[in-house]
Amino acid sequence: MEACIYHQLKSQPIWLLFLLSLGSLKILCFSLIFLKWVYVNFLRPGKNLKKYGSWALVTGPTDGIGKGFAFQLAKKGLNLVLVGRNPDKLKDVSDSIKAKYGQIQIKSVVVDFSGDLDEGVKKIKEIIEGLDVGVLINNVGVSYPYARFFHEVDDKLLADLIKVNVEGTTKVTQAVLPGMLKRKKGAIVNIGSGAAIVIPSDPLYAVYAATKAYVDQFSRCLYVEYKKSGIDVQCQVPLYVATKMASIKRSSFFVPSTDGYARAGLRWIGYEPRCTPYWPHSLLWGLLYSLPESIVDAWRLKFCMGIRKRGQMKDSRKKE
């Protein structure tokens, strides 16, 4: 029987045997990729974040993803340093977290990331002096009020995008990193965007996408630089999340709530240098990667042109 099978295979053309072998190899590779995807999304345990330190610092914690992270970190038992520009909102978030997790210590720092950033970073350094800050969530960021061509971006918006998204993330990291190096442990999470990573381009949001591309490369470089120092650096890449920035009020299967995203985000801290923690987003990521870039670009341009038109109409009504 075995000799018969061997004879049949031997009698086949070489090119056919090559194609069969190649097909089997591709099936094996796909199976391994799928099994890994299942493991990291559903089976792999999250790390004990307290091992990094007893304190976590979160920027932009009064709304959106940052607020979700603040609550989820408190749920894990970490004390919090909350950094935001609105003292009233900081107090509200702090009070809400203390009411739910009474044992948590919270320190608030008022920093306007579009203002005097050097003075703001100085205040952060003073607050964290002596604290075991093991987790940093660089979440603060701004986007366009609505889609617009690059020549329509005014000087104030341009300055804010670069100062908050690029300079803010960089300088807060620079303030927190020395303490982590001294203790030889820490986790830094920088919130990126699918606008810079998942899609080939984000027309009418060019500067925003470019600043998030900086965040991605910045994170990757620090991951390599400090991995052997016990510091895990990661860029998390969300797609749409139900936030004010995204102008989405209701969550859905592909659009998580801020708490839903933050719960998923915590499970990924300390692993890959780049990830999209909410697993339905990874399905969209795979779909977009499988399409020709020209098709994705055309779809995205049309979609953003619609956002621009609605934004302009809204501005016109305000002026009337």
Side-chain angles (χ1 to χ4, degrees), residues 5-278:
I5 294 174
Y6 174 76
H7 178 73
Q8 288 176 351
L9 288 173
K10 190 176 180 181
S11 64
Q12 299 299 323
I14 295 296
W15 63 266
L16 181 58
L17 294 176
F18 175 76
L19 289 178
L20 289 172
S21 299
L22 186 61
S24 299
L25 184 60
K26 284 193 172 183
I27 291 172
L28 176 61
C29 290
F30 176 80
S31 299
L32 291 174
I33 291 171
F34 176 73
L35 289 173
K36 181 183 178 182
W37 179 83
V38 170
Y39 172 70
V40 299
N41 282 284
F42 303 108
L43 302 176
R44 184 174 66 182
K47 295 194 175 184
N48 179 5
L49 301 182
K50 281 189 172 182
K51 289 185 177 180
Y52 289 116
S54 58
W55 287 80
L57 189 151
V58 184
T59 64
T62 58
D63 289 299
I65 291 174
K67 186 176 181 179
F69 267 114
F71 273 86
Q72 292 301 319
L73 288 164
K75 187 177 180 180
K76 295 294 184 182
L78 275 77
N79 301 311
L80 299 173
V81 177
L82 304 180
V83 183
R85 66 178 180 177
N86 189 314
D88 294 331
K89 285 188 175 182
L90 283 171
K91 185 178 185 306
D92 288 343
V93 171
S94 178
D95 290 345
S96 297
I97 293 173
K98 286 180 179 178
K100 195 168 185 178
Y101 309 105
Q103 76 280 12
I104 300 301
Q105 298 180 59
I106 301 178
K107 296 181 182 292
S108 296
V109 189
V110 178
V111 176
D112 182 356
F113 282 86
S114 63
D116 189 344
L117 190 53
D118 289 336
E119 180 61 29
V121 170
K122 182 181 177 183
K123 288 195 289 184
I124 292 173
K125 288 180 178 179
E126 291 172 353
I127 285 288
I128 67 174
E129 180 68 32
L131 297 183
D132 184 18
V133 178
V135 178
L136 167 61
I137 308 293
N138 270 316
N139 164 77
V140 69
V142 295
S143 184
Y144 294 19
Y146 58 84
R148 60 193 64 187
F149 287 97
F150 176 62
H151 71 272
E152 297 170 334
V153 176
D154 60 70
D155 290 343
K156 178 66 166 62
L157 177 56
L158 179 62
D160 287 351
L161 286 162
I162 295 172
K163 193 167 188 178
V164 177
N165 297 356
V166 174
E167 195 174 350
T169 296
T170 305
K171 289 195 171 181
V172 172
T173 302
Q174 193 177 40
V176 176
L177 187 58
M180 293 181 173
L181 276 172
K182 185 178 180 180
R183 294 183 294 272
K184 297 182 179 179
K185 59 181 180 178
I188 298 172
V189 177
N190 298 322
I191 303 301
S193 172
I197 311 302
V198 178
I199 53 180
S201 70
D202 198 16
L204 279 66
Y205 287 96
V207 181
Y208 171 76
T211 61
K212 290 299 183 178
Y214 169 87
V215 171
D216 177 63
Q217 184 68 347
F218 177 63
S219 304
R220 177 68 191 187
C221 293
L222 295 190
Y223 169 84
V224 177
E225 286 183 35
Y226 295 104
K227 185 66 177 176
K228 292 182 179 179
S229 301
I231 300 170
D232 296 317
V233 184
Q234 180 181 79
C235 179
Q236 293 196 0
V237 186
L239 276 71
Y240 282 119
V241 178
T243 64
K244 291 181 181 178
M245 182 182 289
S247 299
I248 301 175
K249 295 180 180 180
R250 294 184 180 181
S251 59
S252 62
F253 179 72
F254 285 112
V255 182
S257 66
T258 54
D259 283 337
Y261 177 84
R263 280 196 302 272
L266 253 59
R267 288 186 61 250
W268 283 74
I269 292 177
Y271 288 108
E272 292 80 2
R274 179 204 284 167
C275 65
T276 182
Y278 183 65

